[in-house]
Amino acid sequence: MDDEKKKEEFYERLAKSGVSRRDFMKYCTFLTATMGLSAAHVTQVADVFAAPKQRPPVIWLHFAECTGCTEGVMRHTNPYLDQLVLDILSIEYHETIMAAAGHQAEENLKNAVEKYKGKFICVCEGAISTKDNGVYGKIGGRTFMEVGKEVTSKAAGVIAIGNCASFGGVQAAAPNPGGFKGVGEALGIKTINVPGCPSNSVNFVGTVINYLLLGKMPALDNSGRPLFAYGKTVHDQCPRRAHFEMGEMATEFGSEEIEKGWCLYALGCRGPMTYNNCPVAKYNDGTSWPVQSGHPCIGCSEPQFWDAMSPFYMPK
Amino acid sequence: MSQRITIDPMTRLEGHLRIEVEVADGKVTNAWSSGQLFRGIEMILQGRNPEDAHHFVQRSCGVCTYVHALSSVRAVEDALGIEVPENARLIRNMLHGAQYMHDHIVHFYHLHALDWVDIVSALKADPQKTARIAEGLTDAQWGGTPYYKSVQQRLQTFVDSGQLGIFENAYWGHSAYKMPPESNLIAASHYIEALRLQAKAARMHAVFGGKNPHPQSLVVGGVTSSKDLSADRIAEFLYIWKETQKFIKDVYIPDVVAAAKYYKDWGGIGGTTNFLCWGDFPQGNGKDENLFMPRGLIQERDIKNLREADQEKVAECVTRGWYEKDRARHPFEGVTKPEPGEYEPDDGRYTWFKAPRYDNLSCEVGPLSRVLVAYANGHEGITKNVDYVLKTLDVPAGALFSTLGRTAARAIETLVIGEQVEGWVNELVANVKSGDKKVYQSWKMPTKEMTGYGLNDVPRGALGHWIKIKDKKIENYQYVVPSTWNFGPRDEEGKLGPVEEALIGTPVADASRPLEILRTVHSFDPCIACGVHVIDPDSNQVYKVRVT
């Protein structure tokens, strides 16, 4: 099918689901800006959705995690998951949503790794146990470590989604009983880290689209995080920031000060030491984010935040 | 081979499960359920601040998000002896109700449906005929021949691309698939529509919780989202609720009933014996009282004899798990010393799960337990809907004790709890109108020793958190989760766990493609990837099957 026809069909489908072409372009502009690209790229971003040249293969592995990051991506709108799965990407392996089971599922993994060797994106969700030969986590009788090594070594690039895959996450908090580590550290490889607990789907999709659009992964900070999303602190982008400057601090939940939008620093907000774009990107189609709902930031996109940022309800 | 490691206490797992069954004469004769991941969250909690615990435990599960946090703050509030303000109770109920609505829709359409629906067969459907059938079936806002034609075309384009992705290599064409192509096409289109609907439904959490998954507005003492108690925010919640509830009523329920007509034989497969639920949705203040979904125990399928359920009768048995030998213990006394070892299902240890027992009974938890207990209790909404479904399908009440019953119960409670959410919103509106916007009760953590527990009934079943606090820190923290109730192993007397019991008798037409086993395992809604081994004694062949 030629590109123009594909595009046409795409916009027809959008219209049927109540999204106008104009709304869609607005979203692409938002995504382009989130990625830190100039407005000249908006049309190209739109084309990635409307007329993908060929659906790039993705292999998604689950290790020690809660599946919250997968769930986050399931909630993504524009593109919705069905578009990601049917029209944009080719998800070759994903335990939560794939239809195949049994040795057929394992076969799919094996075949995809061979067929797309050096060409597929590997997404890792969850941490890898490194203690006692990784006995604390297995899939099909093999440790996470074995599965991870085999698959990531043949990938074009590895995206670690969420804090667990990026930095070890909750199971790596002291005393880290299973010796859990982030995927990059556990396997000794370079990963693009898209942390958060869970990761904001906007940042994950932004990273993938960046790859589809430019053919390379985005610029990263020292912790392997894309700068377009993790380049500034939460505090610097926070709508309550002005109150911080004025010394207007809320000291109790449910108080009048919170309603007035005062700063949550005294209640333990970790916004000043956390790099993420929550105040701007927000969650669930821009509905809200934790500080908007009156709760301090817990620093969930930072390495080892469960230990480094807690106890939570007091200033650091 | 086993190496002794002291890990104390041990945590529950969420993610990787192995199931092994033995098949003779085309039926399952024995089954083992095994947890394959250990994370250690209970151990990580020791020595931390009790008020921080809910953030940690919420990460037990991102599918069943919110619920562990709720149990945790309830446990700490119980220890402190505080009651949360009315508005906090209502917002918590609203968020919990929204979780049921969202979670059960996703389970049915995206985790369970493909066990019953043959997507490939949908390509053969006649769109016009499909539209006609759909019209008599649902009140959905979409439909008509062009609609079904376009869905079919989209699937065809996808198949023609040669990249089948998540639909590659499944059990398509299996003899146990019974629905005609047109019904499969309807289901395939609802799979996609539900995918979009759930993205919207999750926004209910974001309105009063900041985000989903893992909303972040619960605190010990209440909720934080006082700023969102505004007319526009409440209306935002209400409109998403309305659309979601309409989907449940007009699409989800009719879909379950329509599919059930093709699978009535599953009303006699996959049942268990005892049913426990803690109940949930407090309708007023005061602990454990007046729950919208009642607490109770049903023994030996005797629904005429509803028994009380008391948390003191819970004990966890570790004989068949990878732990040092120990007696069965109540969670307050929970001491766990893991001892990794070989996988020895026949007579040894074979799982990271403990085996929870209620008064020494192996109990199923989850939608079926809740619906049975509510039915036995004369719950109006539940009784009405259960009777409607039984009558429509023309099956006896005994058919509830099955894989089909479990799946129907899940749909029924989604409808009933969903309806109730509007009532909580209205109560909240009345309070706000009268000037009551209190959402938080302040508290102080004393240094004395305290214990507390929080009991919930969450989408996947009975959930309890037990906490011991000393010098303002967590001394011990244990939680007994739905997945250990349902997927736990044999106990010291050899009594099977509920899933193990349910699998026995399941027909298996083709041991290399055991679709039927997936049906029963998925009907319990494991939010986990599992490893299943099927052994066929005739050929002695071992088939490796991963349930995804």
Side-chain angles (χ1 to χ4, degrees):
Chain A
M1 201 187 304
D2 62 57
D3 284 0
E4 281 313 307
K5 198 169 160 220
K6 263 191 195 169
K7 271 192 221 175
E8 219 172 277
E9 278 191 15
F10 173 79
Y11 287 117
E12 266 174 34
R13 276 207 302 278
L14 269 187
K16 271 184 201 147
S17 56
V19 179
S20 70
R21 201 177 180 119
R22 190 163 170 275
D23 288 340
F24 175 69
M25 291 314 283
K26 256 166 70 184
Y27 169 75
C28 290
T29 308
F30 164 72
L31 197 62
T32 310
T34 305
M35 290 189 291
L37 300 173
S38 81
H41 284 93
V42 173
T43 326
Q44 285 166 269
V45 170
D47 284 353
V48 167
F49 296 115
K53 294 270 175 284
Q54 173 218 20
R55 297 187 355 257
V58 173
I59 293 177
W60 191 304
L61 300 175
H62 285 86
F63 300 126
E65 40 78 30
C66 75
T67 314
C69 292
T70 283
E71 290 282 327
V73 174
M74 274 184 79
R75 319 278 190 270
H76 199 76
T77 54
N78 289 319
Y80 283 97
L81 186 64
D82 64 286
Q83 295 169 315
L84 280 172
V85 166
L86 295 176
D87 308 331
I88 299 170
L89 302 171
S90 184
I91 312 281
E92 301 292 326
Y93 185 87
H94 188 307
E95 288 171 8
T96 318
I97 55 171
M98 70 193 295
H103 63 258
Q104 286 89 348
E106 297 207 312
E107 218 169 79
N108 287 1
L109 177 60
K110 199 167 147 255
N111 291 345
V113 169
E114 286 312 316
K115 185 174 170 193
Y116 298 112
K117 197 172 166 181
K119 295 199 184 88
F120 66 89
I121 300 175
C122 179
V123 179
C124 293
E125 182 175 352
I128 294 181
S129 164
T130 60
K131 199 165 129 186
D132 302 318
N133 296 319
V135 68
Y136 301 102
K138 289 185 179 179
I139 307 169
R142 295 194 300 161
T143 62
F144 294 162
M145 187 75 106
E146 290 169 289
V147 176
K149 258 188 197 154
E150 188 183 304
V151 177
T152 60
S153 66
K154 291 172 182 149
V158 181
I159 300 178
I161 186 170
N163 199 293
C164 299
S166 297
F167 309 123
V170 67
Q171 52 274 314
N176 193 355
F180 286 99
K181 288 180 177 167
V183 170
E185 197 190 348
L187 302 179
I189 59 170
K190 194 171 159 52
T191 55
I192 317 267
N193 297 327
V194 190
C197 197
S199 176
N200 192 336
S201 63
V202 170
N203 296 337
F204 172 75
V205 173
T207 303
V208 173
I209 301 303
N210 196 100
Y211 172 77
L212 299 182
L213 184 63
L214 304 175
K216 61 174 187 184
M217 289 301 181
L220 308 177
D221 72 1
N222 289 340
S223 300
R225 302 177 291 192
L227 283 167
F228 73 75
Y230 304 91
K232 290 180 193 157
T233 64
V234 168
H235 188 60
D236 280 348
Q237 306 162 84
C238 185
R240 295 180 191 256
R241 173 70 195 257
H243 295 283
F244 174 84
E245 302 301 338
M246 301 288 285
E248 292 170 345
M249 308 288 182
T251 52
E252 184 163 289
F253 293 117
S255 62
E256 213 176 299
E257 289 76 23
I258 291 207
E259 274 198 60
K260 281 195 234 156
W262 284 18
C263 177
L264 305 180
Y265 183 78
L267 287 164
C269 188
R270 302 294 181 246
M273 48 193 92
T274 303
Y275 287 83
N276 207 341
N277 56 359
C278 307
V280 183
K282 299 191 180 182
Y283 291 82
N284 303 93
D285 219 5
T287 304
S288 190
W289 65 292
V291 168
Q292 183 173 343
S293 77
H295 193 289
C297 164
I298 61 170
C300 72
S301 55
E302 290 300 310
Q304 280 68 55
F305 83 97
W306 291 105
D307 290 332
M309 303 293 183
S310 66
F312 291 122
Y313 296 100
M314 51 189 73
K316 274 253 173 215
Chain B
M1 280 293 282
S2 69
Q3 189 184 351
R4 183 165 296 221
I5 304 158
T6 308
I7 305 172
D8 174 20
M10 160 58 189
T11 182
R12 303 295 160 254
L13 7 150
E14 149 53 42
H16 302 266
L17 181 88
R18 174 201 286 269
I19 277 170
E20 189 166 316
V21 302
E22 205 169 82
V23 179
D25 299 329
K27 277 196 175 165
V28 173
T29 52
N30 212 343
W32 297 267
S33 161
S34 163
Q36 293 280 301
L37 170 66
F38 160 76
R39 291 167 80 202
I41 295 175
E42 287 165 333
M43 184 183 181
I44 288 164
L45 285 170
Q46 284 194 313
R48 294 183 190 264
N49 287 8
E51 64 271 28
D52 284 1
H54 70 99
H55 291 296
F56 287 81
V57 296
Q58 176 155 236
R59 272 68 186 185
S60 303
C61 185
V63 179
C64 207
T65 185
Y66 176 72
V67 302
H68 287 285
L70 180 58
S71 246
S72 183
V73 293
R74 279 184 182 168
V76 180
E77 285 157 3
D78 179 41
L80 291 170
I82 53 171
E83 248 173 31
V84 301
E86 273 292 299
N87 293 333
R89 175 181 69 80
L90 292 166
I91 291 174
R92 286 178 178 186
N93 279 356
M94 284 156 55
L95 293 177
H96 199 181
Q99 176 63 18
Y100 269 84
M101 296 166 81
H102 178 275
D103 202 357
H104 283 352
I105 290 172
V106 170
H107 175 261
F108 179 71
Y109 287 98
H110 308 118
L111 306 179
H112 200 20
L114 299 182
D115 296 342
W116 313 97
V117 175
D118 186 340
I119 295 273
V120 173
S121 138
L123 296 173
K124 293 191 292 244
D126 172 356
Q128 202 176 350
K129 207 170 145 196
T130 308
R132 231 179 11 246
I133 295 171
E135 228 164 82
L137 185 71
T138 78
D139 253 333
Q141 52 191 336
W142 56 81
T145 308
Y147 168 82
Y148 286 106
K149 214 171 173 172
S150 81
V151 173
Q152 197 181 37
Q153 184 54 48
R154 190 175 177 205
L155 290 175
Q156 191 66 55
T157 306
F158 178 79
V159 169
D160 291 345
S161 78
Q163 291 176 293
L164 288 183
I166 62 164
F167 297 112
E168 178 85 39
N169 212 2
Y171 298 153
W172 312 131
H174 193 290
S175 64
Y177 283 122
K178 303 290 187 202
M179 285 164 40
E182 285 72 22
S183 301
N184 283 318
L185 181 56
I186 294 172
S189 72
H190 292 181
Y191 176 98
I192 294 170
E193 299 294 349
L195 211 44
R196 298 193 167 202
L197 186 272
Q198 63 84 29
K200 197 173 278 181
R203 287 181 50 219
M204 283 189 275
H205 268 188
V207 171
F208 291 111
K211 64 186 171 110
N212 167 287
H214 299 338
Q216 197 168 316
S217 66
L218 287 188
V219 281
V220 169
V223 300
T224 64
S225 42
S226 50
K227 205 163 177 264
D228 294 305
L229 286 183
S230 59
D232 59 333
R233 247 355 201 181
I234 294 171
E236 192 177 355
F237 182 97
L238 207 49
Y239 274 95
I240 306 167
W241 168 82
K242 204 171 185 177
E243 194 177 334
T244 311
Q245 186 65 14
K246 183 170 162 50
F247 180 92
I248 292 164
K249 189 163 159 275
D250 294 346
V251 184
Y252 180 16
I253 295 282
D255 277 350
V256 170
V257 172
K261 286 181 179 161
Y262 293 97
Y263 294 107
K264 277 194 198 179
D265 50 333
W266 284 84
I269 300 166
T272 67
T273 312
N274 306 308
F275 304 87
L276 171 72
C277 66
W278 296 134
D280 214 318
F281 302 109
Q283 295 288 64
N285 273 326
K287 191 172 173 174
D288 299 348
E289 279 166 31
N290 198 8
L291 300 169
F292 177 68
M293 292 300 285
R295 176 172 301 178
L297 171 78
I298 288 169
Q299 248 175 280
E300 301 290 332
R301 301 191 176 187
D302 181 7
I303 52 174
K304 295 211 166 65
N305 196 0
L306 181 63
R307 292 157 199 269
E308 280 183 14
D310 178 359
Q311 62 88 24
E312 282 187 12
K313 293 189 176 167
V314 174
E316 288 196 292
C317 171
V318 297
T319 324
R320 304 299 294 274
W322 288 309
Y323 303 97
E324 274 185 27
K325 259 198 149 101
D326 194 11
R327 64 182 167 87
R329 286 172 185 270
H330 183 272
F332 272 142
E333 309 302 328
V335 177
T336 318
K337 293 185 175 164
E339 215 177 45
E342 295 298 309
Y343 175 73
E344 295 169 331
D346 289 334
D347 46 10
R349 306 179 302 168
Y350 61 98
T351 181
W352 283 116
F353 283 136
K354 296 190 209 173
R357 293 292 180 264
Y358 181 88
D359 207 8
N360 209 24
L361 297 170
S362 166
C363 297
E364 172 174 347
V365 299
L368 181 56
S369 302
R370 274 189 299 267
V371 164
L372 289 173
V373 166
Y375 193 74
N377 205 39
H379 188 290
E380 197 190 326
I382 293 289
T383 306
K384 187 178 77 186
N385 284 287
V386 168
D387 289 341
Y388 161 78
V389 170
L390 291 175
K391 197 173 155 219
T392 310
L393 293 177
D394 190 24
V395 291
L400 288 168
F401 300 95
S402 68
T403 294
L404 189 65
R406 199 171 290 121
T407 301
R410 185 171 290 111
I412 289 168
E413 71 168 8
T414 313
L415 180 73
V416 173
I417 292 168
E419 264 168 21
Q420 190 61 23
V421 169
E422 191 182 22
W424 296 318
V425 176
N426 289 339
E427 281 184 66
L428 184 69
V429 169
N431 287 352
V432 172
K433 265 188 183 164
S434 73
D436 171 17
K437 289 185 79 175
K438 190 175 175 189
V439 293
Y440 178 74
Q441 171 63 49
S442 60
W443 48 269
K444 282 214 161 51
M445 187 71 67
T447 48
K448 65 171 184 185
E449 222 174 304
M450 299 176 290
T451 58
Y453 61 87
L455 300 180
N456 283 18
D457 236 83
V458 308
R460 285 171 186 80
L463 171 66
H465 284 227
W466 286 261
I467 189 170
K468 266 191 176 175
I469 302 171
K470 195 179 166 185
D471 290 334
K472 304 186 178 187
K473 300 287 179 195
I474 296 170
E475 171 89 350
N476 196 4
Y477 199 106
Q478 294 274 313
Y479 47 129
V480 183
V481 308
S483 285
T484 46
W485 281 106
N486 286 336
F487 289 85
R490 289 149 170 78
D491 56 28
E492 51 201 5
E493 293 168 14
K495 287 196 304 290
L496 275 54
V499 169
E500 295 177 330
E501 180 192 351
L503 282 169
I504 290 177
T506 301
V508 178
D510 176 356
S512 71
R513 308 171 89 212
L515 174 63
E516 302 91 337
I517 289 174
L518 306 198
R519 287 181 177 166
T520 293
V521 172
H522 280 153
S523 74
F524 283 89
D525 193 2
C527 43
I528 31 191
C530 331
V532 178
H533 284 229
V534 180
I535 303 166
D536 182 345
D538 297 333
S539 62
N540 229 358
Q541 174 127 23
V542 178
Y543 299 98
K544 267 179 81 185
V545 177
R546 170 115 24 91
V547 180
T548 51

